[in-house]
Amino acid sequence: MQKEGKSILFEAQLGALRDLDYGIYPYTTSSNAVAAYAPVGSGFPTAKLDEVVGVVKAYSSCVGEGPFVCEWFGEEAQQLRDAGAEYGAKTGRPRRVGPIDLVATRYGVETQGATNIALTKLDILSYMDKIPVCAHYELNGEQTDDFPFPVLLQDAKPVVEYLPGWQCDISGARKWEDLPENARNYVEYVEKAIGCHIGFVSVGAERESLIIR
């Protein structure tokens, strides 16, 4: 395929925080989950990556143990979990959830070398009158935008900011202009904060429920 000049797509399963070297060790997988390792891990080490699309949920979810700075608990968490159907596909185990973590996402963008972002499940936030984001961390009494060394994460606290919600069904949107202004503002806010273009916005589970910017 390479000799014929065809495009080759690698697809990864886990995010940067589960990477053996760059993740939140010891709560990681046993190998490298960052995009740069795709050619090596696939047995095609001479491949050159020219585009890396990072997949980011419009909120945060987590499977398994380990530090999760922006985690929600109680009724607030349950409402988001139910709205997003955040349960294990095979086990049915409830996933841990919270607002989008811009500090961790920005770190993920950097370690993945992302050139484009697909922001998924934006429609899940439609029930909220105001949209929370973990904009910064507080560590040792100081506010930081840098993702700390993993051992320090247990002491980090989320600094949460709120954006106006849109409170309407956006699952039928297929063009950027179809989204309510507050939904567009949320996407643009995240885009600016993580420093990477959001080229795809998902508003539903169907394959066609996608907005290309």
Side-chain angles (χ1 to χ4, degrees):
M1 291 180 67
Q2 186 185 44
K3 290 177 181 178
E4 294 173 4
K6 295 183 178 181
S7 296
I8 300 171
L9 173 68
F10 300 101
E11 182 180 3
Q13 179 187 10
L14 298 173
L17 295 189
R18 298 303 182 190
D19 184 86
L20 180 59
D21 293 321
Y22 295 97
I24 50 174
Y25 187 84
Y27 304 99
T28 64
T29 187
S30 58
S31 59
N32 292 97
V34 293
Y37 195 76
V40 177
S42 66
F44 187 22
T46 59
K48 302 293 190 295
L49 302 179
D50 56 12
E51 183 176 9
V52 178
V53 180
V55 182
V56 178
K57 279 183 183 175
Y59 57 93
S60 299
S61 66
C62 177
V63 176
E65 299 179 359
F68 187 24
V69 175
C70 66
E71 184 171 10
W72 276 356
F73 301 93
E75 184 177 343
E76 190 175 41
Q78 191 60 47
Q79 192 172 8
L80 178 56
R81 185 178 297 114
D82 289 342
E86 293 294 342
Y87 295 89
K90 292 184 178 180
T91 64
R93 183 174 62 178
R95 297 189 184 117
R96 302 161 68 188
V97 296
I100 191 170
D101 185 332
L102 299 178
V103 179
T105 301
R106 188 163 48 245
Y107 175 75
V109 167
E110 293 171 355
T111 55
Q112 296 285 9
T115 58
N116 204 348
I117 295 295
L119 187 69
T120 67
K121 306 188 83 165
L122 183 66
D123 55 305
I124 302 304
L125 304 181
S126 296
Y127 75 91
M128 297 180 177
D129 60 345
K130 56 181 182 178
I131 312 298
V133 297
C134 176
H136 319 278
Y137 286 176
E138 182 182 311
L139 190 61
N140 298 325
E142 296 184 1
Q143 184 171 292
T144 180
D145 291 332
D146 296 326
F147 192 74
F149 197 69
V151 72
L152 301 175
L153 281 171
Q154 61 185 358
D155 298 320
K157 299 178 181 179
V159 177
V160 179
E161 297 180 357
Y162 292 89
L163 281 71
W166 46 92
Q167 292 190 293
C168 65
D169 182 11
I170 62 172
S171 61
R174 294 296 179 269
K175 299 178 181 178
W176 178 244
E177 297 76 17
D178 294 341
L179 289 175
E181 182 179 3
N182 285 348
R184 297 197 304 268
N185 289 342
Y186 179 77
V187 174
E188 290 173 345
Y189 175 92
V190 172
E191 181 178 69
K192 182 178 180 180
I194 65 177
C196 187
H197 175 62
I198 296 176
F200 307 95
V201 180
S202 168
V203 292
E206 295 74 23
R207 190 180 291 267
E208 65 272 10
S209 300
L210 186 69
I211 296 169
I212 301 177
R213 298 176 68 215

